[in-house]
Amino acid sequence: MRIAVLGGDGFCGWPVALHLSRHGHDVTVVDSLVRRRTDDELGVESLTPVRPLPERLAAWWEVTGLVVRHVRLDLAREPERLAALLAAERPEAVVHLAEQRAAPYSMRDAAHKRYTVDTNVNATHNLLAALVEVGLDAHVVHLGTMGVYGYETAAVDLPEGYLHVSYPDRTGASIERDVLYPTRPGSVYHLTKSLDQLLFQFYAQNDGLRITDLHQGIVWGTQTPETRLDPRLVNRFDYDGDYGTVLNRFLVQAALGLPLTVHGTGGQTRAFINLEDTVRCVRLAVESGDAVVGGRVRIMNQVAETLRVRDLAAMLHRLLGAEVAHVPNPRAEAAENELEVRTDQLRDLGLEPILLEERLLEESLETARRYAGRVDPARVPATACWNAERRAAAAPAEAGR
Ligand SMILES: NC(=O)c1ccc[n+]([C@@H]2O[C@H](COP(=O)([O-])OP(=O)(O)OC[C@H]3O[C@@H](n4cnc5c(N)ncnc54)[C@H](O)[C@@H]3O)[C@@H](O)[C@H]2O)c1
């Protein structure tokens, strides 16, 4: 299949592009490389020494004999070039991962909020409008987030995107409908993913676009069978307080002998998935595209399991003796929540998820230890505050960190 991987230089996108290529697909990476510039803005770099994209692609060809091309293009700001690319390449599937994806980054200040909304909403909308303009029936597979559901405790197993509701019409007869599950975004980033859902619904209904939206949990791990083939293929490993995901940051803290910074009580329950499952799920979604019809967006929860943050910290304490430090939570969120999630659709497609086990943490820990010399310990704690007053109050303390 001809597949365009938008955001194919990123943490999930790079291993997705290689995995699809290795499974016989003809892959073009479309990426503005903005994520590399964001590292410069934040004054951090990936824990792993990520090679420039042309070098990565040359190494992939050298090691496997497979060609993956790159087109440098900003989806949000170059809509005409995007339409021209789609018209010329005519991909059969478009995997869309090209968004600003860090919740803390999106909450830093008004400029970062605007940047996140402008980038994410326009990137998604430009893609959908271009597909209609070009008349291309490509299946869109979007990486969304479990965060759109919010994290209040609900006594249900979260359904996959839709809530079945019945309500009485004027005569008292029952009307039955599936509606998008009410969103409760916890950051501007999550808000943009909620807005994406409405864009998808509109274009599926109005134009018959075929769309799969994957509501993904927090990704842990860093390597996949493809990125392990050569050191030049190594994947990103973000450990900083903006882009680092919770478990990967804990691993770096543990490797450096720093306390694991648990926000508040650590009672937050979140959905997790290993990176190897992320790439498998995206392939399963792409390869089952014939089952997706216009009119209704297919929404699948891309989750292996749910875990409580303090239990993760306790596991690393048991495994490595890492100390745990409870720090004030910079986010505005429930201190404790329950979370159960339905994942029937991806399991029906063949997903047998990797569950977090101590032995599986070893490889990530080994990576963290190998590159520990590249870590700036001051950049590990999350500093972006959700609440403006607390942000102002925290400023002097943060400066001293
Ligand atoms: N990493 C996670 O834990 C996680 C969890 C749930 C969902 N997701 C979703 O998966 C997707 C990929 O996440 P990631 O962790 O790989 O992020 P990432 O920041 O590492 O990668 C995103 C890539 O998209 C590119 N990009 C961003 N804006 C662009 C634009 N306007 N035009 C062209 N390229 C652009 C960046 O340069 C980068 O290479 C995101 O949409 C994210 O919301 C990620």
Side-chain angles (χ1 to χ4, degrees):
M1 217 184 273
R2 278 188 312 283
I3 305 176
V5 178
L6 316 181
D9 187 46
F11 170 60
C12 299
W14 174 242
V16 161
L18 299 190
H19 184 73
L20 292 172
S21 170
R22 203 181 192 188
H23 277 78
H25 299 294
D26 176 6
V27 175
T28 300
V29 163
V30 180
D31 199 302
S32 65
L33 307 184
V34 64
R35 182 66 192 84
R36 292 174 183 252
R37 296 197 297 278
T38 310
D39 274 349
D40 297 338
E41 177 202 337
L42 297 174
V44 289
E45 52 185 359
S46 161
L47 173 76
T48 46
V50 175
R51 308 307 307 156
L53 184 54
E55 192 180 328
R56 284 177 143 185
L57 297 175
W60 181 243
W61 180 78
E62 234 178 88
V63 172
T64 63
L66 296 166
V67 175
V68 171
R69 291 172 301 279
H70 171 224
V71 176
R72 186 168 179 172
L73 184 156
D74 184 334
L75 253 69
R77 293 160 193 91
E78 298 180 284
E80 292 84 9
R81 280 192 65 214
L82 173 63
L85 176 76
L86 294 171
E89 301 265 329
R90 303 201 74 78
E92 293 151 282
V94 178
V95 182
H96 173 26
L97 308 103
E99 295 184 80
Q100 191 302 99
R101 70 99 171 134
Y105 185 87
S106 79
M107 297 300 287
R108 287 173 85 88
D109 53 28
H112 289 85
K113 290 176 185 176
R114 286 196 302 272
Y115 172 79
T116 303
V117 171
D118 291 349
T119 299
N120 294 1
V121 176
N122 280 326
T124 298
H125 187 252
N126 288 344
L127 169 65
L128 301 174
L131 288 171
V132 173
E133 185 176 59
V134 168
L136 186 62
D137 178 29
H139 172 213
V140 176
V141 175
H142 172 252
L143 262 286
T145 166
M146 285 299 296
V148 296
Y149 298 117
Y151 294 111
E152 64 175 353
T153 298
V156 292
D157 292 353
L158 277 180
E160 302 202 72
Y162 296 96
L163 191 62
H164 186 76
V165 297
S166 39
Y167 53 97
D169 70 8
R170 270 184 238 106
T171 69
S174 180
I175 295 176
E176 305 285 323
R177 274 186 70 183
D178 280 348
V179 295
L180 284 173
Y181 195 90
T183 64
R184 246 183 113 87
S187 73
V188 167
Y189 156 68
H190 291 105
L191 172 63
T192 63
K193 294 289 189 179
S194 304
L195 296 170
D196 279 349
Q197 287 200 103
L198 285 177
L199 294 172
F200 294 139
Q201 180 174 268
F202 175 79
Y203 275 92
Q205 288 175 355
N206 195 63
D207 299 284
L209 291 191
R210 293 185 300 118
I211 301 169
T212 297
D213 197 4
L214 299 169
H215 286 188
Q216 182 172 244
I218 300 169
V219 181
W220 65 277
T222 188
Q223 295 278 61
T224 62
E226 288 80 24
T227 65
R228 284 188 199 101
L229 287 174
D230 188 284
R232 292 167 295 171
L233 300 174
V234 73
N235 196 26
R236 293 188 71 86
F237 188 130
D238 297 307
Y239 68 85
D240 61 283
D242 282 83
Y243 277 88
T245 53
V246 57
L247 183 52
N248 281 1
R249 283 196 307 122
F250 280 175
L251 286 165
V252 166
Q253 289 173 319
L256 291 177
L258 297 169
L260 314 181
T261 46
V262 171
H263 293 168
T265 64
Q268 308 90 334
T269 308
R270 296 290 180 266
F272 289 88
I273 186 163
N274 182 272
L275 185 65
E276 293 191 24
D277 279 337
T278 290
V279 305
R280 266 193 289 272
C281 288
V282 171
R283 182 170 58 78
L284 292 171
V286 166
E287 291 176 351
S288 61
D290 286 349
V292 181
V293 290
R296 180 180 164 108
V297 178
R298 176 173 68 166
I299 302 177
M300 303 198 282
N301 292 336
Q302 187 162 304
V303 167
E305 61 191 322
T306 58
L307 297 160
R308 212 175 268 278
V309 171
R310 64 169 167 259
D311 294 338
L312 281 177
M315 185 187 280
L316 289 174
H317 175 70
R318 263 199 322 277
L319 191 64
L320 306 158
E323 291 304 316
V324 177
H326 289 269
V327 299
N329 190 350
R331 302 186 181 216
E333 62 186 6
E336 310 262 332
N337 72 298
E338 307 288 331
L339 181 63
E340 297 294 338
V341 182
R342 295 200 71 96
T343 54
D344 312 57
Q345 293 182 86
L346 278 164
R347 285 171 193 262
D348 287 349
L349 289 174
L351 176 70
E352 290 173 21
I354 297 169
L355 302 182
L356 188 71
E357 281 178 50
E358 295 184 356
R359 74 186 164 82
L360 289 172
L361 287 175
E362 286 295 348
E363 186 196 65
S364 296
L365 193 64
E366 172 49 33
T367 308
R369 285 196 181 115
R370 188 173 333 139
Y371 298 110
R374 290 168 55 87
V375 174
D376 177 353
R379 306 316 310 266
V380 186
T383 54
C385 251
W386 263 232
N387 174 292
E389 276 170 35
R390 281 172 51 202
R391 190 157 51 232
E398 298 301 349
R401 249 204 261 241

